Amino acid sequence: MAGPEARHPAGHTVRTVGEASTMRVRSASTAAPGRLENEDVVFRFGPLVGVLDGATVPDGFDTGCVHGPAWFVRHLAARIGLAVAARPAATLVSSLAAALLAVRADHGDSCDLDHPGTPSATVCLLREGVDEVDYLVLCDSPLVLDVGGRVEVVSDDRLDVAMADLRRIAAGLPADGTDPQTRFRQAVSVQRERMNRTHGYWVAATDPDAAYHSVTGTLPLRGPNAVRRAVLLSDGASCAVEQFGLLDWAGLLDLVTAEGPGALIDRVRAAERAHPDRLRRHKRADDASAVLCEFPSRD
């Protein structure tokens, strides 16, 4: 990602990623405490900004692949950039599909790409145009927008719906003495069976068709309903609102604008330390990424 780099006091890598036409971009991304590798990636290629959140593989689970989530998100980010550069007029859906197809080839012959545990990632993209912005959200990396002074959130809740359904099923099973670890493994196996399936949820993995199940849209950059600000988030950052209730979405936008994306992550880390019992999908903490895009008035 191009542009000058600085260190946030709490250790986040913070970059001002440059100027497209008028869009200003600031970002922060950090691995979960105690983990050496960040499975999130944030990127900018000209007018395109993105956040990818690689799916952590639970200990002891096979993936059929010699690569991990960090490899996958890095390759997918690069392939998305190349796809957009090759066909600037293409939709974000088409560019993501082309990128997934290219990453499938990047795996080589040593990976079982039909394995249900193959590396995967959520996707949140925003592309600036002359008079409008396009967006794409796939799985649980939300996009928060200031549209004409109103706060709007673009989200894909199909994973949460699938997980809630799994919890209902598990709650209805008889307590037969099965240990928690075995029940967890059974739940993960069922979740994998629902990935990239109708009536399940969709995520970027090896099937290019997943791109066509993204949540997409276009918003103006001029007029009373113009986009003024946008924040792209991985769920490790959006949990400030969704899990811990530290802020509402408007408060998140204002915090990130005033103090920078790193300040949001700092608040999440403090909440994780204060509430170690609040697990999100069996994790006390997660990689966290936030990208702020600001669009000065064009009227």
Side-chain angles (χ1 to χ4, degrees):
M1 188 162 57
E5 182 173 304
R7 296 297 297 178
H8 186 274
H12 310 297
T13 300
V14 181
R15 299 176 175 89
T16 298
V17 232
E19 305 289 331
S21 55
T22 59
M23 179 172 63
R24 182 171 181 243
V25 180
R26 289 180 283 164
S27 70
S29 183
T30 184
R35 290 181 52 188
L36 298 177
E37 194 166 39
N38 189 348
E39 294 172 350
D40 287 359
V41 67
V42 299
F43 59 91
R44 181 179 184 178
F45 300 108
L48 177 71
V49 179
V51 170
L52 307 179
D53 179 359
T56 300
V57 180
D59 291 340
F61 278 83
D62 184 30
T63 66
C65 184
V66 299
H67 307 107
W71 176 95
F72 180 75
V73 294
R74 290 194 298 267
H75 276 249
L76 182 57
R79 289 298 188 177
I80 290 171
L82 288 170
V84 171
R87 297 178 59 215
T91 65
L92 291 178
V93 166
S94 294
S95 296
L96 177 58
L100 289 171
L101 192 61
V103 175
R104 187 178 178 92
D106 290 340
H107 275 279
D109 297 331
S110 55
C111 301
D112 177 7
L113 301 182
D114 295 321
H115 192 287
T118 191
S120 63
T122 70
V123 182
C124 186
L125 302 176
L126 185 76
R127 180 172 58 187
E128 180 191 29
V130 175
D131 293 314
E132 58 192 20
V133 293
D134 300 322
Y135 63 79
L136 179 151
V137 171
L138 183 63
C139 209
D140 60 343
S141 285
L143 173 66
V144 188
L145 299 159
D146 174 355
V147 181
R150 305 182 315 277
V151 176
E152 298 183 4
V153 181
V154 180
S155 61
D156 176 1
D157 65 355
R158 286 170 290 188
L159 175 58
D160 285 338
V161 170
M163 293 300 294
D165 190 34
L166 290 180
R167 286 192 291 270
R168 285 193 297 270
I169 293 172
L173 294 176
D176 57 0
T178 304
D179 65 278
Q181 185 60 29
T182 299
R183 292 174 72 90
F184 172 66
R185 293 183 65 86
Q186 292 171 344
V188 171
S189 297
V190 175
Q191 177 189 339
R192 286 179 166 186
E193 292 172 0
R194 297 192 177 196
M195 186 179 83
N196 288 354
R197 296 286 187 272
T198 303
H199 307 304
Y201 69 97
W202 296 86
V203 66
T206 57
D207 183 0
D209 185 56
Y212 296 92
H213 295 269
S214 303
V215 179
T216 62
T218 300
L219 294 167
L221 285 170
R222 297 183 187 274
N225 295 317
V227 177
R228 302 303 185 197
R229 296 175 292 169
V231 178
L232 296 77
L233 301 162
S234 67
D235 70 337
S238 66
C239 67
V241 174
E242 297 172 321
Q243 180 182 4
F244 293 111
L246 306 176
L247 304 153
D248 59 15
W249 293 116
L252 183 149
L253 264 173
D254 289 343
L255 172 68
V256 172
T257 302
E259 301 182 33
L264 174 64
I265 297 175
D266 288 344
R267 292 207 184 184
V268 169
R269 296 299 182 227
E272 290 167 344
R273 291 191 297 270
H275 303 281
D277 55 321
R278 289 199 183 183
L279 300 183
R280 181 172 175 82
R281 295 175 193 147
H282 298 272
K283 293 185 286 186
R284 287 190 171 86
D286 199 359
D287 306 329
S289 299
V291 181
L292 170 66
C293 303
E294 296 176 279
F295 305 93
S297 176
R298 302 187 183 194
D299 296 330

